[in-house]
Amino acid sequence: MPIQSTLAGSLSVPSIPHVDTVLQYLSSLSPRTRLLLVSGGLLAFIIKYLRVKNARRATRGGYYVEDLSKVGSTSENKDSWNTYDVIIIGGGTIQKVDIYDGQDKSGYVGTSGCALAARLSEDTNIRVLLLEAGGSGTALVESRTPSMFGRLFITEHVHKLRTEPQVFARGKTNFWPRAKMLGGCSSINAQMAQYGAPGDFDEWARVIGDESWYFNKYETYIPHPDYPLVDASARGNSGPVRVGYNNYVSKPSAAFIKSCIRVGIPFTPDFNGPRGTLGVSRIMTYVDDKYRRVSSESAYLTPNVLARKNLTVATNATVSRIIFEEVKGEVHAVGVEFAREKNGQMYRARAKRDVVLSAGAVHSPHILMLSGVGPAEHLRSHNVPVVLDHPMVGQNLVDHPVVDLYFKDKHNASAKWMRPKTFGDTAKLISAMVRYFAFGSGGPLATNFGESAAFVRSDDPKLFPPSKYPQQLTDSTSAKDSPDLEFFTTPFAYKEHGAIWFDVHTFALHCYLVRPMSTGAVLLKSNDPWQLPSVNPNYLQNTEDMWKLVRGVRALLDIAHAEPLAGYLDHTSTREDLDHQLHLKSDAEIVELVKDRVETVYHPTSTCRMAPREEGGVVDNKLKVYGINGLRVCDASTFPKIISGHTAGGCYVIAEKLADDMKAEYKSTKNIII
């Protein structure tokens, strides 16, 4: 019986032309196609329901302020501006600025910003304004769900930067996503909770003369019965950031650990433990015991924190400039100007003690330069009035370059169904969504993608015997027990940051250089505050970076051909877009592959470097910008050297330390800058 007759009879509805047309179309389809359409509709309904359900979360129960007139003033008279002790800015674009002269002149919250705001507001005497150009990350189901973050890369929640042509890597302009939401890039990263090597922070201490770097304060480690060798006594147990082994891990990623051991990489129970970083293990994650992403927003900006009367969080507030004032020959940061949209109403707010940039390694230097703080000649070339000549602002950009390898999954058991193309894929995705969202029992949607990892040295004689690798490469590591290469797995392969998936079931291995020697810069493209800056990481500028990546690729191929991982990969495949035959290629051919594939792994740092000024520093060990009172920077841009691993932990450490320093400083003196 036709669908139209069945529905009309059972529902006793009158004939409606548009309904008739739809029903006639459906009746012409095969039963399988009809089922696929119904399944797709159900999937779309589930996603829509989840977004509507979480709409209130976008303002954290009403605590986030969207009406900017409640936090700022439209007046040009500084005495009438809304006043705070500290203004933390991040998450937007900015306009140029002159020293304040009463004329109408014309941001970004990163991983550190939420942590800093929460910690500072613990002192009820400190009034804090946090300005975010985007919205809430926790409001987005794609951000909260570990496996969905890649879907945000092509949305309005991400700044879609592209690099300058990479001269040493085929002249490519690489995609460089940076988050535009509360939580910064902790809301769109792969949730891999590895904090770097102990030697990294010893190195920081040597550079800046300050040893007070600690991790236990910000974390709570959640013990797991399958990992009894983790020394829980060495981990934090009362911090807001929950870490543990709560992600889903695919079988090939588990096999990767055993294959690494077989080729000579030792097992380590904890990359952040007292034994140091070197070795292979399942990665610990920023995924809590309810299988949700832990970002700096969800960890620090809890309802109890947001209820504090001395903390104001404004969303969709793009900072247009930092306002400076000259007092007795010294430059002071005295406030900020911000708007909801380009050419929109401008608002101003005053900072009595400090303005803190927490905009990340790209946007913090961008804001400084457009505010007149940076290399004087470069600023003048873009008609930006110079407030302070600071040659190193935007310089020393360092990023971890990654090379991806692609393999066919022999058992056709990958998570390719997460981007469904068949009824079977759709059914698997719906089942996984019901398991994750309705029953809260984890499952495949709880994968963070970076499931297992290994940290090694490129001069390890077991992996790279001198007889086979005679070239001596410069040791760029922070210590003799620190790595310069990281390997990690993902449960399927992808290209263009997840925009392209293979048409077969795949598995991927990745190698990135955690201590590159190539450096680049963040620079202005113009004095238009709404134009994204120029970013140039200069991948492979130093040829030794390339040769270390070649060694890493060779080691990954050895791992891929070692059991038990080899049993999961179809090494009989001869497809040219897969890498099963790559081990047969020469070093020269692998060099070309590295140049073709080198990409960002989303870890830019050091563009407002913390170091003595005479050594190229932009900020001191209290994160104060040299030469300006009341202005600090708190994010990965201040790293003295890039971390040997993942950068989120370093951002938390910097925020925790700065909050302690600022609270102690405010208690020790009643002097206010303005």
Side-chain angles (χ1 to χ4, degrees):
M1 181 180 296
I3 292 180
Q4 176 184 348
S5 302
T6 303
L7 290 176
S10 61
L11 298 178
S12 300
V13 294
S15 177
I16 302 173
H18 293 300
V19 173
D20 287 345
T21 301
V22 171
L23 294 176
Q24 287 173 3
Y25 171 71
L26 289 175
S27 66
S28 68
L29 302 176
S30 68
R32 182 179 179 82
T33 303
R34 278 183 244 152
L35 191 56
L36 184 60
L37 284 174
V38 171
S39 300
L42 178 59
L43 180 59
F45 173 78
I46 292 173
I47 294 174
K48 179 69 174 177
Y49 169 76
L50 290 170
R51 288 176 175 166
V52 171
K53 178 182 177 182
N54 292 291
R56 182 169 170 77
R57 193 186 293 262
T59 60
R60 284 297 251 183
Y63 286 117
Y64 293 162
V65 178
E66 293 186 325
D67 182 354
L68 301 187
S69 67
K70 294 181 178 180
V71 298
S73 169
T74 59
S75 172
E76 296 179 19
N77 181 358
K78 188 177 69 172
D79 293 334
S80 66
W81 296 352
N82 298 53
T83 302
Y84 305 86
D85 292 297
V86 179
I87 299 177
I88 302 170
I89 53 177
T93 46
I94 69 164
Q95 290 182 318
K96 65 179 180 179
V97 60
D98 294 316
I99 291 180
Y100 180 76
D101 60 5
Q103 301 299 312
D104 184 16
K105 313 273 189 186
S106 296
Y108 305 151
V109 169
T111 299
S112 301
C114 295
L116 181 63
R119 290 303 195 189
L120 286 177
S121 61
E122 290 174 342
D123 185 334
T124 58
N125 294 314
I126 303 175
R127 292 162 297 171
V128 180
L129 172 63
L130 178 62
L131 294 172
E132 165 56 43
S136 168
T138 60
L140 303 171
V141 65
E142 295 91 343
S143 177
R144 293 197 326 280
T145 309
S147 62
M148 289 186 170
F149 66 93
R151 295 174 179 268
L152 293 170
F153 285 2
I154 56 172
T155 70
E156 70 275 14
H157 304 294
V158 168
H159 295 285
K160 292 174 276 292
L161 290 103
R162 296 202 76 89
T163 69
E164 295 299 319
Q166 295 304 284
V167 174
F168 305 97
R170 297 277 188 266
K172 296 183 302 178
T173 57
N174 299 57
F175 180 54
W176 250 48
R178 309 303 296 159
K180 185 182 179 183
M181 67 189 80
L182 280 164
C185 289
S186 73
S187 293
I188 62 166
N189 65 11
Q191 305 132 95
M192 298 170 76
Q194 186 271 346
Y195 307 153
D200 299 342
F201 300 95
D202 293 338
E203 184 179 52
W204 285 19
R206 290 192 298 271
V207 171
I208 65 170
D210 190 335
E211 298 181 353
S212 54
W213 305 104
Y214 39 82
F215 289 85
N216 287 7
K217 184 176 180 181
Y218 77 73
E219 78 166 2
T220 290
Y221 168 65
I222 305 169
H224 194 290
D226 292 346
Y227 299 91
L229 296 179
V230 175
D231 183 0
S233 67
R235 307 306 301 265
N237 57 19
S238 59
V241 180
R242 297 170 69 81
V243 300
Y245 297 99
N246 299 303
N247 60 315
Y248 178 88
V249 176
S250 63
K251 291 180 179 179
S253 289
F256 166 83
I257 297 173
K258 295 179 180 178
S259 291
C260 282
I261 295 171
R262 177 160 291 195
V263 302
I265 302 173
F267 175 78
T268 181
D270 183 0
F271 292 127
N272 304 313
R275 291 175 50 177
T277 304
L278 294 174
V280 62
S281 192
R282 174 180 172 179
I283 197 73
M284 195 176 293
T285 62
Y286 299 108
V287 176
D288 68 18
D289 47 0
K290 294 184 179 178
Y291 310 108
R292 301 169 302 193
R293 169 193 295 278
V294 178
S295 69
S296 63
E297 180 193 9
S298 68
Y300 283 93
L301 298 185
T302 63
N304 287 340
V305 170
L306 292 170
R308 295 171 184 164
K309 297 187 181 300
N310 62 321
L311 174 61
T312 302
V313 180
T315 56
N316 299 304
T318 295
V319 171
S320 59
R321 64 172 178 135
I322 303 170
I323 301 169
F324 294 113
E325 186 176 67
E326 187 172 329
V327 180
K328 296 180 179 179
E330 295 185 341
V331 178
H332 297 256
V334 298
V336 299
E337 190 171 72
F338 51 97
R340 188 178 182 88
E341 58 189 357
K342 185 176 182 179
N343 299 323
Q345 177 66 62
M346 286 292 179
Y347 299 89
R348 299 170 184 84
R350 179 183 178 188
K352 292 179 67 176
R353 290 188 177 273
D354 281 292
V355 173
V356 184
L357 276 168
S358 183
V362 171
H363 300 295
S364 281
H366 188 217
I367 289 172
L368 286 174
M369 285 185 285
L370 285 170
S371 297
V373 180
E377 185 176 348
H378 177 63
L379 300 186
R380 292 190 187 104
S381 71
H382 290 287
N383 298 315
V384 175
V386 178
V387 173
L388 181 67
D389 181 13
H390 228 313
M392 295 308 295
V393 169
Q395 302 300 305
N396 202 51
L397 173 63
V398 185
D399 183 36
H400 289 147
V402 69
V403 174
D404 306 327
L405 300 184
Y406 320 123
F407 302 95
K408 186 178 183 300
D409 179 351
K410 181 188 294 185
H411 304 297
N412 295 327
S414 77
K416 187 168 72 76
W417 50 265
M418 286 188 179
R419 189 167 291 179
K421 293 187 179 297
T422 66
F423 169 72
D425 288 348
T426 304
K428 287 180 180 179
L429 181 55
I430 291 174
S431 174
M433 294 180 76
V434 169
R435 177 178 176 181
Y436 183 88
F437 293 110
F439 296 103
S441 57
L445 291 190
T447 176
N448 67 311
F449 292 131
E451 297 176 338
S452 299
F455 292 86
V456 305
R457 293 179 61 93
S458 61
D459 59 3
D460 183 342
K462 291 183 180 178
L463 294 176
F464 310 106
S467 59
K468 188 176 179 181
Y469 300 91
Q471 182 183 5
Q472 288 191 344
L473 301 175
T474 302
D475 184 357
S476 62
T477 64
S478 60
K480 290 300 181 184
D481 58 353
S482 298
D484 58 2
L485 291 171
E486 177 182 349
F487 308 144
F488 70 95
T489 69
T490 54
F492 53 83
Y494 53 82
K495 294 182 178 180
E496 294 295 326
H497 305 268
I500 299 174
W501 290 24
F502 286 82
D503 60 345
V504 293
H505 287 274
T506 55
F507 181 75
L509 297 175
H510 313 264
C511 167
Y512 74 86
L513 187 60
V514 297
R515 294 287 291 193
M517 293 188 287
S518 301
T519 62
V522 173
L523 296 170
L524 299 176
K525 286 186 176 178
S526 74
N527 62 6
D528 177 1
W530 300 91
Q531 183 175 14
L532 291 172
S534 162
V535 291
N536 181 12
N538 246 349
Y539 294 134
L540 310 182
Q541 174 200 36
N542 188 305
T543 57
E544 293 201 26
D545 288 354
M546 181 180 64
W547 286 112
K548 289 176 183 178
L549 285 169
V550 169
R551 289 189 182 189
V553 169
R554 286 287 189 201
L556 276 184
L557 293 171
D558 289 343
I559 294 165
H561 287 268
E563 294 293 348
L565 180 57
Y568 288 92
L569 308 179
D570 184 5
H571 287 311
T572 64
S573 173
T574 57
R575 281 181 51 152
E576 292 186 359
D577 59 346
L578 298 176
D579 295 318
H580 296 279
Q581 310 305 314
L582 185 60
H583 63 294
L584 303 176
K585 304 289 186 180
S586 68
D587 280 354
E589 289 172 304
I590 293 182
V591 164
E592 298 307 310
L593 177 138
V594 169
K595 291 179 180 179
D596 284 335
R597 295 190 189 177
V598 66
E599 284 281 4
T600 181
V601 77
Y602 322 116
H603 293 164
T605 73
S606 305
T607 48
C608 296
R609 189 167 169 260
M610 177 170 36
R613 190 168 187 177
E614 62 273 16
E615 296 178 14
V618 175
V619 300
D620 63 16
N621 62 4
K622 303 298 182 185
L623 302 185
K624 296 179 179 180
V625 176
Y626 289 115
I628 297 181
N629 293 317
L631 180 61
R632 309 194 198 219
V633 184
C634 179
D635 53 40
S637 73
T638 66
F639 287 9
K641 294 288 187 71
I642 196 166
I643 286 173
S644 305
H646 299 259
T647 52
C651 293
Y652 288 128
V653 165
I654 281 181
E656 291 280 6
K657 181 183 185 302
L658 179 58
D660 286 348
D661 288 344
M662 291 174 72
K663 286 190 284 188
E665 181 180 317
Y666 294 171
K667 286 180 180 179
S668 67
T669 178
K670 293 185 178 179
N671 293 330
I672 296 177
I673 292 173
I674 59 172

